[in-house]
Amino acid sequence: MKIEIYDPAMCCSTGVCGPSVDPELVRMQEVLRQIEKQAAKVKVDRFGLSSAPQAFVANSVVADLLKNEGPECLPLVFIDREMVAKGKYPSNEQLQAIMKRERIDVAFGKKNKAGSCCCGTDCC
Amino acid sequence: MPQGLFANSPKNFFFTGKGGVGKTTISAATAIALADSGKRVLLVSTDPASNLDEVLDLPLSAEPIPVPGVAGLFASNVDPVEAAAAYREKMVGPYRGVLPEAALRSMEEQLSGACTVEIAAFNEFATLMGDPETADRFDHIVFDTAPTGHTLRLLSLPAAWDDFIDTNVGGTSCLGPLAGLKTQHQLYENTRRSLGDATQTLVVVVSRPDVVPLAEAARASAELQKLGVTNQHLVINGVLQLTDASDAVAVTLRDRSMKALAEIPQALTLLPQTELPLRGTELVGVPALRGFFSQDSSVPSTRSGAKATPLPASLGTLLNTLESMSGGVIMTMGKGGVGKTTQAVNIAKALAARGKNVHLTTTDPAAHVALTLGETPEGMQISCVDPEAETEAYRNEVLATAGADLDGDALALMEEDLRSPCTAEIAVFRAFAKIVDQGTDRFVVVDTAPTGHTLLLLDASESYHREVSRSLSDIPEAVRQLLPRLKDPAYTKVFLVTLPERTPVHEALALQADLRRAEIEPAGWIINQSLAPLQVTDPILDQRRAREFRYIDEVICEGLPTFLIPWQDEPTKDR
């Protein structure tokens, strides 16, 4: 399974550089990290308009939307070439449901409480 | 030539310090001295407001050219703003006519931030230091300006490089424009390592014998130490040798320097030190620079007293104009050390004395304002924006809200991202917005101004937030109102404060351009600490006085209302 995300032009995908932190960006970043960690066969590609414009040209669906609707159509999210979200990021539930169809189970749990295991960098 | 500075000369010299302390002059003089000793030397500036051209009296470009009259010396001037523009064009150019116009604009906007400029500058260092071909051509490379702690830290982020860039998950993290340069990873790594190697690199921290630049020097030194750049040397530039005890200005100036040096920050006392005398002449051109390290600083007096340039109006004229307003925001902007705080205090005090309701706010510790102000006059309110406290509070707020559901790794990464200078700017910016909000029914006098960068960030953020249209994040109302208010000349009056000297004036001009890019038109200029209207007999001060007229004229030529304040006994209180 392949997830492709076409982000708007932004300073950083964590979103902490804006005039206020966008929790959607923080959520998305963490969700993608969990997917990569828990489901090895899912490949995630994330492209920012300002850092990887070639990706926006190479995907004809993205290129057409960008041409007809402008950058407001971003972000665009595809799962196995099927567009699952336009102008917003998919919800956790939506992503879980799509992956379940492929028998991939991913849990987006709450954080591990401090002191449980997070003492080093590679234990969690 | 000072022995200390050149003992065991390493391959790379970096000069750092506040604007106007003499970095360019000293780096040029050092490069000439090294070349004169038979070495092959490259002198390069990566300062966005570089005046290396002016100092060498030679038109420079990014490509090194031989300096006439100095065998073995080559010089180049890398403008990071231009380098960033070139980088931006490299990214955007191929997509002209391919991607729609709006998408290109949005890319360009995003690649216009301070980070891109900073990375572009670092990229130039790295290429010169890490590229074997360049390295082989020269015995020494002298850099006018050192990379900032932020850049160094950014490039040493192992989590970001290894976990994020290499696997391409989470895209770019807070590396912004670095993402496009990831192939340079090895080059950066080499550069960072040689910066930390005492046999390869010496960082020269330059300061004036004055409280504020010394504090700044101590900060820069500590920051570099922390990042492993430990081979440092301190240069105190511009110590007045007293030759005319009847000149009251000279005596006061000398006393002030001696006091600042007696109270030098602890961190700096550990560094090897070189002291250089105050000069009257402008050090321009190779012959003048060659004499720079000679201890003889005596100069013939020029008796400049008869200079006829009409001087700008006094501060009183400005106050009369302001008095006719019912309220609003008055900002003093400028680089550190030019006297922004002192001028903000003077304006606030005068308006209060004229019966106005005034709120004075500053980033200076409250004690300093109180000291400058004396007793708080009736009708005046004082507050203090502490950038560190604001940043800390904002950081905690973000971690508690946006970071609430993150686990150890993700939280650690967010914490690292929050150490970017963007965060500090945003935090101060938000505090600032709240204060500007009060200008509707009184005078708010501020010496903390957001930089052009934050203003552009906010401007861009409007479209940014439109794009992430379902965004849950809220911009506070005061922040939303801020830019329209700052752009309204009836609501906000921005004054550019400068000293009548080359570097501060040129830096303020750059600030003016930044403001105009954010569509804020300055209300005028305040030239502070001028010797021009004073009687001085000390030959060095007399020469400096004569030189001021050129820079005063340069400011007047900008065509904005200009006010001039004579040099005063009191040191500036800027932080």
Side-chain angles (χ1 to χ4, degrees):
Chain A
M1 175 181 275
K2 190 172 175 190
I3 302 179
E4 287 165 282
I5 299 180
Y6 296 85
D7 287 311
M10 53 194 182
C11 182
C12 51
S13 51
T14 55
V16 304
C17 275
S20 61
V21 177
D22 186 342
E24 271 296 274
L25 289 172
V26 176
R27 176 182 68 84
M28 212 48 214
Q29 161 119 340
E30 180 55 11
V31 160
L32 294 175
R33 207 172 70 94
Q34 291 300 335
I35 291 176
E36 284 251 316
K37 207 152 76 174
Q38 297 176 33
K41 57 179 166 174
V42 179
K43 190 173 180 315
V44 180
D45 277 327
R46 196 166 181 182
F47 310 104
L49 179 57
S50 47
S51 51
Q54 184 54 41
F56 290 71
V57 178
N59 183 326
S60 59
V61 179
V62 175
D64 285 347
L65 277 170
L66 210 50
K67 193 172 163 197
N68 298 326
E69 299 181 20
E72 285 78 19
C73 72
L74 303 173
L76 290 165
V77 181
F78 297 81
I79 295 185
D80 290 336
R81 307 213 139 251
E82 180 200 344
M83 189 164 74
V84 298
K86 189 179 103 177
K88 63 177 178 187
Y89 294 101
S91 69
N92 293 6
E93 293 70 28
Q94 199 183 345
L95 282 169
Q96 269 167 327
I98 294 169
M99 281 191 279
K100 212 162 197 129
R101 278 190 263 150
E102 303 280 325
R103 294 174 205 292
I104 301 167
D105 268 316
V106 182
F108 304 128
K110 290 287 167 191
K111 65 176 170 182
N112 296 298
K113 290 287 169 243
S116 57
C117 81
C118 288
C119 38
T121 46
D122 39 337
C123 59
C124 295
Chain B
M1 162 162 34
Q3 283 312 306
L5 188 51
F6 297 103
N8 314 313
S9 295
K11 171 111 191 178
N12 307 300
F13 284 81
F14 281 92
F15 288 83
T16 184
K18 227 172 160 62
V21 295
K23 287 189 294 290
T24 305
T25 309
I26 302 173
S27 42
T30 302
I32 290 171
L34 289 167
D36 283 348
S37 74
K39 306 288 190 179
R40 289 182 66 81
V41 182
L42 174 63
L43 169 62
V44 49
S45 170
T46 52
D47 188 338
S50 167
N51 51 9
L52 188 57
D53 286 52
E54 247 177 318
V55 167
L56 287 179
D57 196 14
L58 189 68
L60 298 171
S61 70
E63 206 48 49
I65 55 163
V67 178
V70 190
L73 180 61
F74 289 75
S76 67
N77 206 356
V78 181
D79 181 347
V81 176
E82 260 170 46
Y87 169 70
R88 190 161 56 236
E89 193 46 38
K90 201 174 106 194
M91 296 297 287
V92 180
Y95 299 98
R96 288 193 201 287
V98 179
L99 284 173
E101 195 54 42
L104 295 172
R105 227 180 6 255
S106 140
M107 284 174 76
E108 280 176 338
E109 226 165 53
Q110 203 46 61
L111 291 166
S112 300
C115 289
T116 311
V117 174
E118 213 174 324
I119 299 298
F122 192 89
N123 200 31
E124 296 299 331
F125 288 131
T127 310
L128 287 170
M129 280 178 76
D131 173 27
E133 205 178 303
T134 318
D136 286 348
R137 275 178 67 198
F138 300 101
D139 298 309
H140 298 287
I141 307 181
V142 177
F143 293 92
D144 173 16
T145 62
T148 68
H150 168 238
T151 328
L152 292 176
R153 198 165 51 229
L154 204 57
L155 293 163
S156 59
L157 268 182
W161 281 114
D162 302 337
D163 299 349
F164 280 73
I165 288 201
D166 292 356
T167 61
N168 201 25
V169 177
T172 55
S173 179
C174 210
L175 296 168
L178 260 189
L181 300 170
K182 64 182 164 187
T183 48
Q184 317 253 49
H185 187 184
Q186 194 54 49
L187 184 63
Y188 290 155
E189 196 45 47
N190 294 345
T191 307
R192 238 171 31 77
R193 207 169 300 130
S194 90
L195 272 164
D197 181 349
T199 63
Q200 288 192 56
T201 300
L202 175 69
V203 172
V204 182
V205 184
V206 185
S207 180
R208 295 257 172 218
D210 223 334
V211 177
V212 178
L214 282 169
E216 169 93 8
R219 249 200 309 274
S221 166
E223 171 117 288
L224 288 166
Q225 290 277 2
K226 217 164 57 190
L227 292 160
V229 186
T230 52
N231 191 23
Q232 301 184 3
H233 191 101
L234 174 67
V235 169
I236 308 282
N237 184 35
V239 182
L240 177 69
Q241 314 296 319
L242 206 55
T243 54
D244 182 352
S246 68
D247 184 332
V249 174
V251 170
T252 312
L253 190 62
R254 169 80 187 173
D255 287 352
R256 199 163 99 187
S257 324
M258 289 303 107
K259 187 158 177 287
L261 289 176
E263 293 164 4
I264 192 167
Q266 178 76 31
L268 294 178
T269 59
L270 305 171
L271 301 181
Q273 199 187 107
T274 300
E275 208 170 276
L276 298 168
L278 184 75
R279 309 267 167 172
T281 50
E282 192 127 67
L283 286 152
V284 172
V286 169
L289 290 165
R290 248 194 196 116
F292 181 73
F293 288 123
S294 85
Q295 285 307 304
D296 177 25
S297 63
S298 66
V299 282
S301 173
T302 52
R303 287 286 149 213
S304 60
K307 201 83 182 181
T309 311
L311 291 175
S314 72
L315 200 63
T317 322
L318 168 61
L319 293 167
N320 292 339
T321 320
L322 293 177
E323 198 185 5
S324 65
M325 294 163 53
S326 61
V329 172
I330 296 159
M331 283 197 275
T332 50
M333 284 183 78
K335 299 287 170 173
V338 295
K340 292 190 294 293
T341 306
T342 310
Q343 292 324 314
V345 168
N346 285 346
I347 291 171
K349 213 155 100 176
L351 286 172
R354 294 173 190 214
K356 299 287 180 180
N357 188 357
V358 180
H359 178 181
L360 168 66
T361 188
T362 175
T363 47
D364 206 21
H368 267 208
V369 177
L371 210 70
T372 313
L373 189 64
E375 206 170 308
T376 307
E378 205 170 316
M380 196 200 285
Q381 181 197 347
I382 304 179
S383 72
C384 174
V385 176
D386 177 349
E388 267 174 46
E390 295 291 345
T391 307
E392 187 62 26
Y394 179 65
R395 199 180 286 147
N396 289 337
E397 184 194 315
V398 170
L399 290 171
T401 53
D405 293 331
L406 301 180
D407 69 13
D409 276 3
L411 203 60
L413 212 99
M414 179 180 258
E415 270 177 357
E416 184 54 53
D417 276 359
L418 284 169
R419 283 166 65 189
S420 113
C422 292
T423 312
E425 269 191 66
I426 290 159
V428 171
F429 187 71
R430 290 166 71 109
F432 174 74
K434 270 187 243 162
I435 289 161
V436 166
D437 202 32
Q438 299 182 350
T440 46
D441 61 350
R442 75 193 94 168
F443 281 100
V444 180
V445 182
V446 201
D447 91 319
T448 310
T451 64
H453 166 234
T454 19
L455 294 171
L456 291 173
L457 184 78
L458 184 78
D459 215 12
S461 77
E462 286 182 12
S463 51
Y464 169 81
H465 279 267
R466 270 200 305 277
E467 281 164 28
V468 189
S469 51
R470 261 50 118 214
S471 161
L472 300 172
S473 73
D474 286 317
I475 302 183
E477 187 54 23
V479 171
R480 207 180 288 279
Q481 286 296 322
L482 180 61
L483 200 54
R485 278 176 176 159
L486 296 183
K487 285 178 181 174
D488 176 4
Y491 192 91
T492 304
K493 304 225 178 297
V494 176
F495 293 96
L496 291 160
V497 184
T498 185
L499 304 177
E501 289 169 30
R502 186 176 57 199
T503 310
V505 166
H506 292 175
E507 282 181 348
L509 283 170
L511 199 59
Q512 177 177 274
D514 265 355
L515 284 169
R516 285 179 172 160
R517 274 200 300 158
E519 291 169 34
I520 297 170
E521 181 62 18
W525 285 68
I526 298 174
I527 301 173
N528 194 23
Q529 299 269 42
S530 173
L531 294 172
L534 303 179
Q535 292 291 327
V536 287
T537 50
D538 179 277
I540 287 177
L541 291 187
D542 186 50
Q543 276 194 333
R544 293 185 74 85
R545 176 180 179 274
R547 216 170 69 198
E548 283 185 2
F549 291 96
R550 180 173 155 198
Y551 300 106
I552 294 171
D553 281 344
E554 199 174 333
V555 172
I556 292 173
C557 279
E558 288 298 305
L560 294 175
T562 302
F563 308 92
L564 185 126
I565 296 160
W567 190 89
Q568 279 156 340
D569 294 0
E570 261 190 61
T572 58
K573 296 283 200 292
D574 274 13
R575 282 271 138 184

